[in-house]
Amino acid sequence: MRARLVPIVLVVALASPARGEGPQFVHADSLALAARESAFAAHVAKGDRERAQGRLYDAAAAYAEALAIRHDSVVAGRLGVLMAHDRPAHAAELLLDAIKHANTTPAERKTFSDAYEVVRTKGAWVDVIISHAGARTTLDGKPRNESGFSAFAMFVLTGEHEVRASLPGYVDDARTFRVVPKEDMRIELTLKPVADFDSQPRILTREHRSSSVETPNELGHESASDEPTYTKQEDPFGYEDPKPAEKPAETRWSIGGGPVVVLGVASWMPAVGVVAGGSWRSNEYVSLGLEGRAAWLTTGVGGEPISAMTAGGIASACGHYRWAFGCVLGHLGVIRVDASKERYVERSDSFVMPGGGGRAGVKFVPARSFAVQGSVDVLGLSRGVKVGVGDRVVSETPPLLVSAQVLGTWEF
């Protein structure tokens, strides 16, 4: 029996770790990597669970926490789908990355593509090229391209924007541009040294570079008055730029028209009509306009067979900032009141109403050269309107007109 046990004991002894080798350690980097992957998987699982239960904001937060640990194109695409409507500018980059790199099912890839098409209707890609790397770049005053690349792309929402590049020792360069949905564009920014900004362009030669170097004649080379020996890359500001200088933005004219609703036309019931006019925009911030409008009361004044209407002209001076604008208005028009001959002695009264007021509105540019704008006006008039029948006052309105209008405009 003992003879049979000896081989078994030897096998067990050889298979067991040697006590003299000391304790075994797992590498610290492996433990940290395993911890990060576990946390990443936990956040992704939480995001999937919250999204399935309809808690979209919680799901987006979980996906963002996962991406903070490490990048994953599938998770980026899921976060982009959730952000497509609320934050399209951020969603565009996530969805484009997912469309190009995500390794997932065809069904999920289609959700990425569908969301990306929705985002594309709200803006366009802008390629920015900067003459110097390391420049600080802002879009509408907010930092972009924090890595300081000399070329990058960003998705920008529809409307007017400003991109600016700055670098210590150089003059800032900025461009104001207008984004039209799905029309990608390219912008180049050139930073010039502060010392050379106000001076005339000059050709730098070896003589200018160093006074301690032997003259070219002593070496048997070209004289200092000959053509420069430095390349465009070595001395970019010693040569004239072959490209024509950028022209300032041209002034723009626009004409348009649309429906208008006016309150205060001898009654507080709505008067409906049309408005048409044109404007001249001297720059991105200021415009002057002139328009005419007419509106008719949709019901009788005070429930009586008495009609009323207004017609007149409005001059405007407006200030613009991106998609919003505000105006100072001057008004000259009439309010006309007509009594029906079926019940009363036929009579018409017209009142000339000069006045002034203000306007606030928004502007949307769905396509190049075409815009839609909506606004609300408040006009103070020289006097109010009182309508009476015999000794009875049917309606009395204060010297005030309130209106709302929507215009389609063509810019040229």
Side-chain angles (χ1 to χ4, degrees):
M1 185 66 179
R2 291 181 179 178
R4 294 179 180 178
L5 289 175
V6 170
I8 296 175
V9 172
L10 290 174
V11 171
V12 172
L14 291 174
S16 301
R19 296 290 182 181
E21 293 178 353
Q24 302 295 311
F25 293 98
V26 179
H27 198 280
D29 291 343
S30 300
L31 289 176
L33 178 61
R36 287 197 299 270
E37 288 300 318
S38 297
F40 174 82
H43 289 309
V44 173
K46 179 182 178 182
D48 294 341
R49 184 170 59 254
E50 298 292 352
R51 183 180 58 167
Q53 295 176 0
R55 294 193 287 267
L56 303 184
Y57 287 103
D58 293 337
Y63 289 144
E65 290 174 353
L67 291 175
I69 297 174
R70 71 171 174 84
H71 181 75
D72 183 274
S73 296
V74 175
V75 178
R78 292 173 185 174
L79 179 58
V81 171
L82 297 178
M83 299 173 66
H85 294 284
D86 295 337
R87 304 182 68 183
H90 294 82
E93 299 181 8
L94 297 171
L95 291 169
L96 184 61
D97 173 65
I99 292 171
K100 290 183 176 180
H101 306 294
N103 183 16
T104 185
T105 63
E108 187 168 36
R109 291 185 65 85
K110 186 177 186 304
T111 64
F112 298 159
S113 299
D114 293 343
Y116 184 69
E117 290 304 314
V118 172
V119 169
R120 285 283 284 165
T121 63
K122 300 180 180 181
W125 287 99
V126 178
D127 293 331
V128 181
I129 312 299
I130 307 174
S131 60
H132 291 68
R136 178 180 180 270
T137 311
T138 61
L139 175 67
D140 301 328
K142 298 180 180 179
R144 299 300 297 263
N145 183 35
E146 296 184 8
S147 299
F149 296 126
S150 61
F152 67 97
M154 58 183 176
F155 189 85
V156 184
L157 299 183
T158 302
E160 292 185 353
H161 302 273
E162 181 195 70
V163 62
R164 177 179 296 272
S166 58
L167 190 66
Y170 293 82
V171 177
D172 291 5
D173 193 10
R175 296 287 186 278
T176 299
F177 60 98
R178 176 179 294 178
V179 172
V180 177
K182 296 187 177 182
E183 293 191 10
D184 299 339
M185 59 191 303
R186 172 191 175 105
I187 295 176
E188 296 186 9
L189 301 175
T190 302
L191 300 174
K192 295 185 178 181
V194 174
D196 293 346
F197 186 72
D198 296 326
S199 62
Q200 294 295 326
R202 60 192 180 90
I203 298 177
L204 299 182
T205 64
R206 295 181 186 274
E207 184 180 63
H208 297 112
R209 291 286 178 162
S210 175
S211 59
S212 61
V213 181
E214 297 88 341
T215 62
N217 287 334
E218 294 174 352
L219 298 176
H221 296 163
E222 299 171 344
S223 65
S225 61
D226 291 335
E227 292 297 321
T229 58
Y230 290 95
T231 66
K232 176 70 173 176
Q233 290 73 24
E234 293 173 327
D235 184 19
F237 300 107
Y239 295 75
E240 293 185 359
D241 194 341
K243 296 186 296 182
E246 276 196 21
K247 296 181 179 179
E250 297 181 357
T251 58
R252 297 180 66 88
W253 294 84
S254 67
I255 56 174
V260 62
V261 177
V262 185
L263 305 178
V265 184
S267 170
W268 286 115
M269 298 302 290
V272 179
V274 294
V275 59
S279 69
W280 173 68
R281 190 162 180 174
S282 59
N283 56 56
E284 62 177 309
Y285 300 111
V286 179
S287 69
L288 302 175
L290 187 64
E291 61 195 49
R293 72 181 186 184
W296 291 261
L297 202 62
T298 56
T299 61
V301 176
E304 300 290 335
I306 301 173
S307 61
M309 64 87 64
T310 182
I314 295 177
S316 63
C318 302
H320 300 259
Y321 180 70
R322 297 178 64 182
W323 48 265
F325 62 90
C327 308
V328 176
L329 306 179
H331 171 266
L332 181 62
V334 298
I335 293 180
R336 181 183 178 90
V337 180
D338 296 309
S340 173
K341 64 180 180 179
E342 297 177 358
R343 185 169 176 181
Y344 307 110
V345 176
E346 185 176 5
R347 179 176 174 178
S348 296
D349 294 293
S350 297
F351 309 96
V352 178
M353 297 290 190
R359 170 180 295 170
V362 295
K363 184 177 182 180
F364 173 63
V365 185
R368 188 181 298 276
S369 299
F370 178 74
V372 177
Q373 62 184 42
S375 61
V376 176
D377 300 354
V378 178
L379 291 172
L381 305 179
S382 58
R383 58 174 174 162
V385 176
K386 181 187 291 186
V387 179
V389 177
D391 297 333
R392 181 168 61 91
V393 176
V394 175
S395 174
E396 183 175 3
T397 55
L400 189 69
L401 287 180
V402 179
S403 61
Q405 59 190 30
V406 177
L407 275 71
T409 62
W410 177 56
E411 300 180 345
F412 56 93

